[in-house]
Amino acid sequence: MPMLEVNNIHTYYGNIHALQDVSVFVDKGEIVTIIGANGAGKSTLLKTISGLVRARRGAIKLADQDITHLKPHEIVMRKMVQVPEGRRIFGQLTVSENLDMGAFTCRDAQLKKNNLDHIFALFPRLHERRKQVAGTLSGGEQQMLAMGRAMMTNPDVLLMDEPSMGLAPVLVDSIFDTVVRLNEAGATILLVEQNAAMALQVASRGYVLQTGTIILADTADNLAKNETVRQAYLGE
């Protein structure tokens, strides 16, 4: 049974038909990636799944429970969390305060402490800078913080939107290594990423989204070998 199912979603911005009959699924423990050009609808898909944008038609299920009409905070309570494009940290708060904001659904003090210890083990740099104002962190450190903030909810499913965006090439490998480590720690991940080559290296399966429509769905290995994908998204 899939952990996350998106069935025949149609999403609009006014009269613009942004997502057209989109269906994807993610099994428990998988990393699945959505690749596509700018404007293809990748971020809209994640926003629709997380309740920030409403689908006009179609259904979304999390662990076989319909979440199509839930509010974003209700979806977070169901243990699915989005790491947003552009990180969206609270720049005037410290690292520790940002992580506390991520734990707003947690009423168990011991679980909150365990989650924090786990995040500091994954990201020792955040522990070193826990008292630092988040807006003064480097881009890579801010991305770590955005991931850590999401992990404070102890999520079953992570929606990750362009985690490598705006980072120096030397940091990109580190961020994707962290994606794998989060998955190995138990998170099921739906990854939106413009860096198709890296995304296909860490994912087990993938979908290609083009102008709001899924045009290809296959294993990551097969997509990486697909001539259309190689020419359009891998720069070959």
Side-chain angles (χ1 to χ4, degrees):
M1 179 182 72
M3 177 64 75
L4 174 65
E5 292 179 87
V6 178
N7 296 313
N8 308 111
I9 283 294
H10 293 260
T11 299
Y12 290 76
Y13 291 118
N15 293 322
I16 299 172
H17 198 171
L19 296 178
Q20 304 164 35
D21 199 31
V22 170
S23 296
V24 304
F25 73 92
V26 187
D27 285 331
K28 183 177 176 61
E30 274 195 308
I31 301 176
V32 172
T33 189
I34 310 290
I35 61 175
N38 283 334
K42 305 187 301 298
S43 293
T44 298
L45 176 57
L46 290 196
K47 289 177 181 177
T48 303
I49 293 170
S50 61
L52 296 170
V53 176
R54 293 293 179 196
R56 287 195 193 173
R57 301 199 303 276
I60 303 167
K61 289 185 177 182
L62 177 65
D64 208 34
Q65 299 295 311
D66 194 316
I67 63 168
T68 312
H69 303 294
L70 294 185
K71 296 176 181 178
H73 74 276
E74 294 172 327
I75 293 173
V76 172
M77 295 289 286
R78 300 287 184 96
K79 303 188 75 174
M80 181 166 66
V81 182
Q82 182 169 344
V83 181
E85 179 183 354
R87 299 178 276 279
R88 302 292 182 90
I89 60 166
F90 300 101
Q92 300 304 312
L93 302 182
T94 67
V95 167
S96 289
E97 288 168 339
N98 269 269
L99 295 174
D100 282 342
M101 291 295 289
F104 80 97
T105 62
C106 184
R107 300 293 180 263
D108 184 327
Q110 186 59 50
L111 178 59
K112 179 178 175 180
K113 181 181 183 303
N114 292 344
N115 289 342
L116 188 61
D117 289 345
H118 175 59
I119 289 161
F120 283 154
L122 277 172
F123 304 113
R125 187 69 61 85
L126 295 184
H127 183 264
E128 294 171 7
R129 301 184 183 273
R130 61 192 181 279
K131 297 181 181 180
Q132 185 170 329
V133 174
T136 65
L137 298 175
S138 70
E141 290 165 347
Q142 289 185 12
Q143 185 62 58
M144 293 175 194
L145 181 56
M147 291 180 179
R149 183 181 59 189
M151 292 301 293
M152 284 297 290
T153 66
N154 199 33
D156 292 328
V157 179
L158 272 177
L159 309 175
M160 306 191 74
D161 195 354
E162 304 281 7
S164 74
M165 176 182 286
L167 298 184
V170 70
L171 295 175
V172 171
D173 285 346
S174 175
I175 289 300
F176 278 99
D177 179 63
T178 301
V179 171
V180 171
R181 290 160 65 198
L182 292 174
N183 176 249
E184 291 172 346
T188 298
I189 296 174
L190 180 59
L191 170 68
V192 158
E193 180 56 56
Q194 195 168 358
N195 188 334
M198 291 298 296
L200 292 173
Q201 284 182 34
V202 302
S204 57
R205 294 186 299 107
Y207 297 85
V208 179
L209 191 62
Q210 181 175 295
T211 58
T213 302
I214 298 290
I215 62 167
L216 285 171
D218 209 331
T219 66
D221 285 344
N222 285 344
L223 287 176
K225 297 172 185 174
N226 182 284
E227 193 63 30
T228 298
V229 173
R230 294 177 73 85
Q231 290 182 6
Y233 305 109
L234 301 182
E236 297 184 8

